[in-house]
């Protein structure tokens, strides 16, 4: 398994990450060509070799005209820019996953919903380039797994749109919840919200204790010359993939979600029926609390790529939502087989799951039980009890 390890002893930012990726061997012109697929206005990428404390690495700067830097974008604007581009689907998905981390953090900090979030510094052209560029580079390198060290945050105060805020910035702190961090290496910010979001969206493990054989090492150079080397170090290496137990099948899928607070509850039943007709593998509703303590419902759908368009269309047309979010997920499924059991009411299909060569559970198909109960004029419990008696 091709693995990338982020050593964040001096933190991480979007431009440091791009520099490290180029230093690993990503072709600069290919990166630039891919980023041209985004309709985000004028900018220039400057790449050069610099040193920090004797360590040579790659410095990347995204130069944007002043009028473009002040442009504000909502989360849905950024989603539209990425989805309407001709980037590869996996690059789009990862870019949106990283931006969703940012949007959720900003929403939590400022008391908004994700769809209401206005991006300022994060929504600027340079940050879109940093995030989409990260996804392009990981795809170019063929990275299958990402691991990171605990993240150095720095200290002191950082200047932002709202004034001086303590390090880490609130959005950075929110993004890194549940992730090990360190502070105080230098008296200023070393990890930006963009850098934090890249790690939070990609890394599967955070540790500074690893045994591996490095194949390539890259250094992304930061903009300051500090007491510690202001660089992001990355290692690329091969690891043995995690063994999948006999009886377990791994599949990739999509998780599509939206939050709704203004729909008649009785309508959810027909919405769920249509989603299943469109190919959804699972649909579930979760009660949530939105801003101003408004009760709402989160609709979650697990589906395959091929069914995405129909499912999204059903959500647009059959619900009141104005926005959707999609995340690529990995499903672990027990291998199963089907048999037919005869009861006094009729035949019922039984689903049996196997693990490490052993049968571990069985259950009747609910739709068969419901159909028989309706046909025979009995309850579903009667059907289930007849199965127990025959077993």
């Amino acid at each position: 398994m091709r693995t990338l390890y982020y050593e964040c002893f001096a933190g991480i930012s979007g431009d440091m990450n791009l520099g490290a990726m180029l230093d690993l061997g990503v072709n600069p012109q290919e990166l630039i060509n891919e980023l041209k697929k985004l309709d985000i206005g004028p900018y220039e990428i400057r790449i050069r070799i610099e040193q920090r404390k004797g360590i040579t690495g790659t410095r990347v700067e995204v130069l944007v005209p002043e009028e473009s830097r002040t442009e504000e974008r909502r989360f849905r604007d950024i989603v539209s820019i990425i989805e309407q581009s001709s980037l590869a689907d996996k690059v789009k998905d990862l870019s949106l996953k990283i931006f969703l981390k940012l949007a959720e953090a900003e929403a939590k900090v400022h008391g908004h919903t994700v769809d209401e979030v206005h991006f300022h510094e994060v929504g600027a052209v340079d940050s879109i380039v940093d995030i989409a560029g990260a996804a392009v580079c990981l795809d170019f390198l063929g990275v299958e797994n990402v691991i990171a060290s605990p993240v150095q945050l720095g200290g002191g105060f950082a200047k932002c749109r709202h004034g001086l805020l303590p390090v880490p910035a609130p959005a950075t702190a929110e993004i890194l919840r549940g992730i090990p961090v360190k502070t105080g290496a230098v008296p200023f910010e070393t990890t930006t919200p963009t850098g934090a979001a890249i790690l939070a969206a990609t890394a599967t493990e955070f540790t500074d204790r690893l045994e591996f054989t490095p194949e390539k090492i890259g250094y992304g150079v930061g903009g300051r010359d500090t007491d510690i080397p202001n660089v992001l170090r990355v290692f690329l290496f091969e690891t043995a993939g995690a063994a999948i137990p006999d009886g377990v099948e791994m599949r990739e899928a999509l998780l599509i979600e939206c939050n709704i607070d203004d729909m008649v509850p009785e309508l959810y039943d027909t919405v769920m029926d249509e989603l299943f007709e469109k190919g959804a593998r699972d649909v579930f509703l979760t009660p949530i609390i939105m801003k101003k303590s408004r009760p709402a419902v989160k609709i979650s759908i697990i589906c395959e790529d091929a069914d995405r368009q129909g499912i999204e269309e059903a959500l647009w047309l059959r619900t009141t939502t104005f926005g959707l979010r999609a995340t690529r997920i990995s499903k672990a499924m027990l291998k199963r087989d089907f048999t037919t059991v005869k009861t006094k009411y009729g035949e019922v299909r039984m689903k049996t799951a196997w693990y490490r060569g052993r049968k571990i559970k069985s259950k009747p198909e609910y739709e068969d039980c419901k159909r028989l109960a309706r046909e025979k004029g009995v309850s579903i419990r009667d059907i289930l009890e007849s199965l127990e008696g025959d077993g």
Side-chain angles (χ1 to χ4, degrees), residues 146-165:
V146 175
I147 304 173
S149 70
V151 187
Q152 175 61 233
L153 303 179
F157 290 82
K159 181 179 289 187
C160 70
R161 182 185 180 90
H162 303 285
L164 287 175
L165 293 176

Side-chain angles (χ1 to χ4, degrees), residues 49 107 155 241:
I49 303 301

Side-chain angles (χ1 to χ4, degrees), residues 55-330:
I55 297 177
T56 301
T58 301
R59 171 89 169 116
V60 173
E61 289 182 280
V62 181
L63 306 177
V64 185
E66 188 61 34
E67 59 271 18
S68 297
R69 292 192 64 85
T70 59
E71 181 181 356
E72 294 185 358
R73 288 185 170 98
R74 291 181 184 269
F75 177 61
R76 62 172 173 263
D77 299 326
I78 295 170
V79 170
S80 178
I81 288 170
I82 293 171
E83 288 189 338
Q84 292 177 17
S85 75
S86 58
L87 291 168
D89 286 344
K90 64 190 301 186
V91 172
K92 290 181 184 180
D93 290 343
L94 182 53
S95 299
L96 292 173
K97 183 179 180 181
I98 296 170
F99 259 113
L100 181 59
K101 292 287 185 182
L102 285 166
E104 290 175 338
E106 293 286 344
K108 176 70 179 299
V109 169
H110 299 296
H112 299 311
T113 65
V114 168
D115 287 337
E116 293 172 326
V117 168
H118 277 85
F119 289 105
H120 306 296
E121 292 92 338
V122 168
V125 172
D126 52 348
S127 293
I128 297 176
V129 170
D130 286 343
I131 288 172
V136 168
C137 290
L138 289 171
D139 184 49
F140 180 92
L141 292 168
V143 173
E144 301 169 276
N145 186 40
V146 175
I147 304 173
S149 70
V151 187
Q152 175 61 233
L153 303 179
F157 290 82
K159 181 179 289 187
C160 70
R161 182 185 180 90
H162 303 285
L164 287 175
L165 293 176
V167 171
T172 303
E174 185 65 30
I175 292 167
L176 293 175
R177 277 201 304 169
I179 292 174
V181 300
K182 297 180 179 181
T183 63
V186 290
F188 50 79
E189 181 183 55
T190 57
T191 295
T192 65
T194 300
I198 290 170
L199 291 181
T202 61
T204 59
E205 182 183 359
F206 290 84
T207 180
D208 52 11
R209 294 182 179 275
L210 279 179
E211 292 185 8
F212 60 93
T213 303
E215 293 181 5
K216 293 183 179 180
I217 303 171
Y219 292 90
V221 176
R224 297 175 184 258
D225 193 4
T226 63
D227 291 339
I228 62 173
N230 188 18
V231 297
L232 170 67
R233 179 158 61 184
V234 292
F235 298 88
L236 195 62
F237 57 95
E238 293 286 339
T239 59
I244 300 175
D246 178 39
V248 176
E249 180 181 358
M250 301 301 299
R251 291 186 185 177
E252 294 296 313
L254 284 175
L255 173 63
I256 300 175
E257 295 181 317
C258 61
N259 298 342
I260 297 177
D261 65 352
D262 58 350
M263 199 167 88
V264 177
E266 288 82 358
L267 296 178
Y268 287 114
D269 187 49
T270 56
V271 171
M272 292 177 76
D273 286 343
E274 182 160 346
L275 290 169
F276 280 118
E277 289 173 5
K278 295 290 187 178
R281 297 296 186 267
D282 197 7
V283 180
F284 51 98
L285 308 178
T286 307
I288 59 174
I289 301 297
M290 296 175 62
K291 72 170 188 176
K292 300 179 181 178
S293 298
R294 294 202 311 267
V297 171
K298 178 172 68 175
I299 301 181
S300 303
I301 304 100
I302 296 176
C303 66
E304 308 298 329
D305 283 329
D307 299 314
R308 178 174 183 172
Q309 182 175 348
I311 285 170
E312 290 185 344
E313 184 176 83
L315 291 170
W316 294 132
L317 297 177
R318 307 302 178 206
T319 76
T320 57
T321 189
F322 276 71
L324 305 175
R325 54 189 178 272
T327 307
R328 188 162 299 282
I329 61 172
S330 179

